[in-house]
């Protein structure tokens, strides 16, 4: 089983294109989207978080069940659900404003050592920024990295990071405990503190500190996998973009699904992947993300949809 750890929230998404367009609630959150993507791709998946007992929280849990995700590790609380108000640019890219004070996901508790059936653990986004939950997830990351493949997508939300230097140092401290790092080009440069930095050099520096591989999402330029000795690139899948909400999360989920299906949920096996295997993994993840981009909100594909898209 793969466990995804982190926040579940509600995206308030525009449903029109004028200045006074109403906002519609869409269930989401980076880790939550990853869990949904994995479950829909028929991978045994569990979600580790604290979720509100309010109406939004009930809907978040129902959608996990509908997507085939186990909720044994989901803690419940009366605190409100985190809200993210989404603004969309002309190209469909998203910007966010967050309402996070005192919300349920920040108050997650350490569940203790995970079961022997857990083979991989995925982290990312707000849950590694907002305390006190960030320290809890960090503790789980460090403990479980000794036994399972750990995957990280920092998915930077700069507006919520009060001290960028401190966060960058904390990120660097996680690298020895990370088996697979997925990051966008923009986030890689933000983490490096240099908008003009060579992202391949950044990735190779990170690999020297721990991860078996770094997967770069490059928007309209596709995906790349960087290892200590190689670089594999795949072009983007062309699609009519409705919005990009959840696209990177879908990449994370689909990558882990591909590794699961090919018995490669292990840092050593990730290091040993051939160019052909990386090409297949990236193509699989890119096709999944393209489907997500073709519809509103974070709606990752089901396995049947992705199989049809790859066959077509």
């Amino acid at each position: 089983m793969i466990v995804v750890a982190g926040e579940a929230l509600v995206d308030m998404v525009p449903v029109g294109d004028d200045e006074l367009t109403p906002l519609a609630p869409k269930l989401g959150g980076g880790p939550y989207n990853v869990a949904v993507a994995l479950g829909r791709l028929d991978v045994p998946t569990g979600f580790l978080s604290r979720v509100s007992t309010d109406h939004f929280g009930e809907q978040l849990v129902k959608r996990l069940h509908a997507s085939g995700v186990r909720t044994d590790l989901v803690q419940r609380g009366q605190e409100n659900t985190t809200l993210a108000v989404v603004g969309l640019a002309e190209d469909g890219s998203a910007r966010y404003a967050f309402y996070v004070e005192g919300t349920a996901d920040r108050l997650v508790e350490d569940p203790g050592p995970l079961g022997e059936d857990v083979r991989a653990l995925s982290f990312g986004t707000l849950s590694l920024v907002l305390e006190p939950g960030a320290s809890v997830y960090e503790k789980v990351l460090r403990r479980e990295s000794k036994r399972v493949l750990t995957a990280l997508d920092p998915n930077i939300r700069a507006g919520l990071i009060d001290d960028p230097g401190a966060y960058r140092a904390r990120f660097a401290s996680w690298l020895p405990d990370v088996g697979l790092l997925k990051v966008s080009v923009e986030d890689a440069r933000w983490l490096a503190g240099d908008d003009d930095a060579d992202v391949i050099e950044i990735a190779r520096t990170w690999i020297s500190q721990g991860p078996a591989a770094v997967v770069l999402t490059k928007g309209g330029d596709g995906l790349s996998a960087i290892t200590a000795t190689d670089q594999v690139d795949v072009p983007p899948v062309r699609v009519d973009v409705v919005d990009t909400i959840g696209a990177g999360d879908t990449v994370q989920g689909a990558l882990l699904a591909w590794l699961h299906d090919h018995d490669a949920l292990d840092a050593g096996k990730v290091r040993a992947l051939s160019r052909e295997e990386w090409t297949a993994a990236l193509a699989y993840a890119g096709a999944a993300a393209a489907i997500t981009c073709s519809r509103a909100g974070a709606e990752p594909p089901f396995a049947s949809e992705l199989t049809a898209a790859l066959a077509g």
Side-chain angles (χ1 to χ4, degrees):
M1 181 171 71
I2 297 175
V3 170
V4 183
E7 77 277 357
L9 54 77
V10 170
D11 291 317
M12 303 302 295
V13 182
V15 293
D17 55 9
D18 59 66
E19 292 184 359
L20 297 178
T21 184
L23 299 173
K26 296 286 185 178
L27 306 178
Y32 181 86
N33 295 337
V34 173
V36 168
L38 279 162
R40 290 183 176 186
L41 294 176
D42 296 335
V43 175
T45 304
F47 188 54
L48 167 58
S49 186
R50 181 178 173 90
V51 175
S52 178
T53 55
D54 66 12
H55 173 72
F56 286 143
E58 291 297 323
Q59 295 304 309
L60 285 161
V61 171
K62 286 181 181 179
R63 187 168 182 245
L64 288 173
H65 292 159
S67 299
V69 179
R70 288 175 50 178
T71 56
D72 312 50
L73 294 171
V74 172
Q75 305 159 23
R76 305 301 299 274
Q78 294 182 346
E79 307 83 15
N80 291 334
T81 298
T82 295
L83 298 181
V85 178
V86 182
L88 299 176
E90 290 185 4
D91 63 357
S93 61
R95 60 185 184 276
Y96 300 86
F98 294 96
Y99 297 83
V100 300
E101 288 302 317
T103 50
D105 49 85
R106 299 183 68 166
L107 302 178
V108 67
E109 297 178 354
D110 185 351
L114 300 180
E116 290 298 320
D117 59 333
V118 177
R119 298 180 57 203
L121 191 54
S122 177
F123 298 87
T125 321
L126 306 185
S127 58
L128 289 171
V129 175
L130 301 175
E131 296 290 3
S135 292
V136 173
Y137 288 118
E138 181 178 80
K139 181 179 178 181
V140 175
L141 167 66
R142 296 193 191 283
R143 181 180 66 233
E144 300 296 331
S145 68
K146 310 298 187 293
R147 189 179 64 83
V148 305
L149 175 68
T150 51
L152 172 64
D153 176 9
N155 202 7
I156 299 300
R157 301 292 182 244
L160 290 176
I161 299 175
D162 295 331
D163 187 339
Y167 180 85
R168 289 171 179 133
R170 194 173 192 182
F171 166 79
S173 79
W174 298 329
L175 293 176
D177 294 299
V178 173
L180 176 65
L181 178 62
K182 197 281 289 183
V183 62
S184 70
V185 168
E186 296 80 8
D187 286 353
R189 288 181 171 137
W190 187 93
L191 286 162
D194 184 351
D195 291 341
D196 298 315
D198 184 322
V199 291
I200 305 303
E201 290 184 8
I202 296 171
R204 290 251 159 80
T205 297
W206 289 338
I207 288 170
S208 71
Q209 298 171 45
V214 175
V215 172
L216 290 171
T217 60
K218 303 183 294 184
D221 293 325
L223 300 170
S224 294
I226 315 301
T227 67
T229 59
D230 207 354
Q231 174 182 340
V232 178
D233 306 303
V234 299
V237 177
R238 299 301 176 188
V239 66
D240 291 331
V241 175
V242 174
D243 64 51
T244 63
I245 299 170
D249 307 325
T250 301
V251 169
Q252 177 87 334
L255 276 173
L256 290 170
W258 190 95
L259 293 173
H260 170 272
D261 293 345
H262 293 80
D263 191 28
L265 286 176
D266 174 87
K269 292 181 178 180
V270 170
R271 286 191 183 89
L273 291 177
S274 67
R275 288 185 61 85
E276 291 74 18
E277 288 170 321
W278 271 118
T279 299
L282 295 178
Y284 184 83
I291 294 173
T292 299
C293 290
S294 72
R295 44 207 191 190
E299 286 291 345
F302 287 88
S304 58
E305 295 178 292
L306 184 51
T307 298
L310 290 168

